[in-house]
Each structure stands twice: as C-alpha cells, then as structure tokens.
Amino acid sequence: MRMYDIIKHKRDGLELTAKEINHFVAGYVDGSIPDYQASALAMAIFLRGMNAVETAALTMEMAVSGDQVDLSSIPGIKVDKHSTGGVGDKTTLAVAPLVASLGVPVPKMSGRGLGHTGGTLDKLESIPGYQTKIPRKRFLEIARTVGCSVVGQTATSCLPTRSSMPCAM
C-alpha cells in the first residue's frame, strides 16, 4: 500500500478503508510516512470530509498508536476536557478543578504550546514546584485523592507505562 494512493483516494472523494487508515497511522507513528504526506492527507480530509465510519476508525487507530493508561483504579466515571488550544488556552486550569470539585475525577494529559501562546503545560510549569512529569502511580494517586491531575505526555504516552509505538499525533 502506498501513501500516495491513500491521499489520491481521499482527494477523489472516496471513503478510506480501515486498512488504509491503519497504514497511515502506523506509518506516521513509525516515521515511514513523512509530514508532507500526512499534511496532504489532512488537506484532502479537510476538503472532502470523513464519514462516521472513517472518523471512528481514525480515532481508534490514534488511540492505540501509543501507550494507554489504565484508569480503572480511579472510582466512578472519569472525564476529560479536550480542546485544540489557541490564544489563551487556559480552560483546563479552570475546568478540571471545577469538575473535580463536583465529584467527577479529571485525570488529564495536556500538551505544550505550538507557538507564542504556550500550552497548558507551559502555564502549569510556571507555578513553582508544579511537576508535569510524574510516575504513573503518583498520577493515579493524585487523581483519586484530589480529583484531578494534569501531566504531560512522553514520547509514548502521558506517563511511563508499557512499551508501545511512540505517539506522533
């Protein structure tokens, strides 16, 4: 399977197969698919859209492309707040503790800023003593006792866990 054919397939308005989506994610994660081809596919998806089946397949492939953290030791329903960031990018700092104060745990992995604004981690690390790199056991302990814990990702996940392919997206 060639990335060129997958890009052309989507560019021409056709539905991506699960096999094509798997090939793309696996190849991007292992570095065999360069950024410019991922960008071309992203543009084709933007212009042509994705149906629910494609979206679900891409979401699942991305979810299993890196390490996953087992949150079953945190009782009850757990939630996450996710956004694309942007200027200000501060909703996690207000939303996570607010939701946790209502009894809903928020074990959260956040990212760094991609530009001049700084991301959630950049803001948290400006607080003296705040650590965004902590062991998985401590992350889970904080989420259980405090209700929310915000950490940063590593090359493979948000915390040291079982080995897998590195996260690329």
Side-chain angles (χ1 to χ4, degrees), residues 51-113:
N51 65 29
V53 172
E54 291 172 298
T55 302
L58 180 60
T59 301
M60 292 308 297
E61 286 298 327
M62 289 172 66
V64 299
S65 71
D67 289 345
Q68 298 177 348
V69 177
D70 179 2
L71 302 175
S72 63
S73 69
I74 302 170
I77 296 172
K78 284 117 344 231
V79 299
D80 179 39
K81 186 263 354 150
H82 184 77
S83 70
T84 57
V87 176
D89 186 29
K90 58 209 164 284
T91 56
T92 295
L93 303 178
V95 172
L98 178 65
V99 172
S101 75
L102 298 171
V104 180
V106 185
K108 177 93 182 101
M109 180 179 68
S110 287
R112 300 199 175 280

Side-chain angles (χ1 to χ4, degrees), residues 9 14 28 46 65 80 97-98 104 130 145 154 156:
H9 196 170
L14 302 172
Y28 191 74
F46 175 77
S65 71
D80 179 39
L98 178 65
V104 180
Y130 195 96
T145 58
T154 66
T156 57

Side-chain angles (χ1 to χ4, degrees), residues 3 5 19-20 40 42 72 84 98 103 110 118 124 138 153 157 160:
M3 192 60 199
D5 297 322
K19 188 174 179 179
E20 289 171 323
S72 63
T84 57
L98 178 65
S110 287
L124 287 172
R138 181 71 177 132
Q153 69 186 45
S157 72

